[in-house]
Amino acid sequence: MGLVVQKYGGSSVADAAGIKRVAKRIVDARKRGHQVVVVVSAMGDSTDELIDLASEVSPVASGREFDMLLTAGERISMALLAMAIKALGSEAQSFTGSQAGLITDSVHNKARIIDVTPGRIQSSVDEGNIAIVAGFQGVSQDSKDITTLGRGGSDTTAVALAAALDAEVCEIYTDVDGVFTADPRVVQSARKIDWISFEDMLELASSGSKVLLHRCVEYARRYNIPIHVRSSFSGLEGTWVSNEDPRRARGSAGEKSQQGEQSMEQALISGVAHDTSEAKVTVVGVPDKPGEAAAIFRVIADSQVNIDMVVQNVSAASTGLTDISFTLPKSEGKKAISALERAQGTIGYESLRYDDQIAKISLVGAGMKTNPGVTATFFDALSNAGVNIELISTSEIRISVVTREELVDEAVRAVHSAFGLDSASDEAVVYGGTGR
Ligand code: ASP
Ligand code: MG
């Protein structure tokens, strides 16, 4: 039996009881014969609490000291988890990200992993230990300072270690039973997905699905590490994220099982994601001539703001003016608006509108490439629910619309039912977490 990497999120280790429960699971996996490397997040909402604390002592908390502070959260959980495992009679050792060989660039608060040299972890497991690694952190190659990978970065730590240790699988334990066809916090009848491709999962992640971070899925795809997303609160099989459906592979090998057929059918639509973290900027009265859009988006790019959807309206023949709208993270709204205001003279638009009461709803599935009518069904569902569409964007395997934020739950449910994704059984259980 090979090596497995297991990652436990904050809600799975929220208190002493949680840590003991997780320790038991880990020891069970070890007893089944696996070598086990565990990546752990900070307990419960403790990262947010540390951030709150930092903002009380300094309005500009960021950079080196901020990373020093935040990595403390994971150090607490890793040590406690190692103690809990030892209390169960198994051997465990905890390691910081730096000790585990997570080498990053020196961009504090959102460092990128540039190398993983897990020699100490490999020796520790070879000696029979369970190795516990603090998630979401590393050490800068240049400055040797401690860095963090950005919020939710422990998933990326886990996948990166799984790749470097050539693990069989990276198991991501969370507070729901897997990846669902919609956020189980919004759609009670959401269905657990048994298998999803890296591509569909990447689209879901970039469309607002929070169960896995885009970056972690991207990393897993690059190194072809299967991810198994499952709950630490139940014993159920979760969702496999990988290149190929294992059941389908079985089917094509001759015995075409019922499950195999089912999974092919499921490939049409993977799920519905929603995102309320974006805002919409409309640049009103832009001269309809070459170079205008370029000028606007150059200004935005120069202020280091990432945008998402872009729409240009048809210009009014009488004025020769058009409107350009785009979406961006709410957190970047102020920066973008002030950059555009400064450039009003050179760009030559009439006015700006800023709207942060929007929501984006996306339908994702590779099957839409070959199935006509998906877009029509999607828009029908929204109109039947009385949801007005403000912006539309598509990729080969995704359709997204922007609508009013207050309609988001209704819109998601309507689309979810229209594509027959509702589950008959109540499988969408949320076991823990405060949703913070
Ligand atoms: N503790 C960090 C956070 O809350 C990292 C993680 O949970 O993955 O963002
Ligand atoms: Mg967390």
Side-chain angles (χ1 to χ4, degrees), residues 50-71:
L50 291 171
I51 292 172
D52 291 348
L53 206 51
S55 65
E56 278 178 46
V57 300
S58 161
V60 288
S62 66
R64 183 184 188 278
E65 303 312 324
F66 199 60
D67 279 351
M68 274 306 208
L69 177 70
L70 295 196
T71 51

Side-chain angles (χ1 to χ4, degrees), residues 9-10 41-42 44 47-48 74 151-152:
S41 289
T47 305
D48 295 278
E74 271 72 10
R151 296 306 308 272

Side-chain angles (χ1 to χ4, degrees), residues 7 9-11 41-48 74 151-154 436:
K7 181 259 170 178
S11 53
S41 289
M43 294 170 70
D45 289 333
S46 59
T47 305
D48 295 278
E74 271 72 10
R151 296 306 308 272
S154 299
R436 188 170 173 184

Side-chain angles (χ1 to χ4, degrees), residues 121-136:
I121 303 301
Q122 188 68 59
S123 337
S124 179
V125 293
D126 287 346
E127 285 160 19
N129 295 300
I130 294 165
I132 316 286
V133 178
F136 151 77

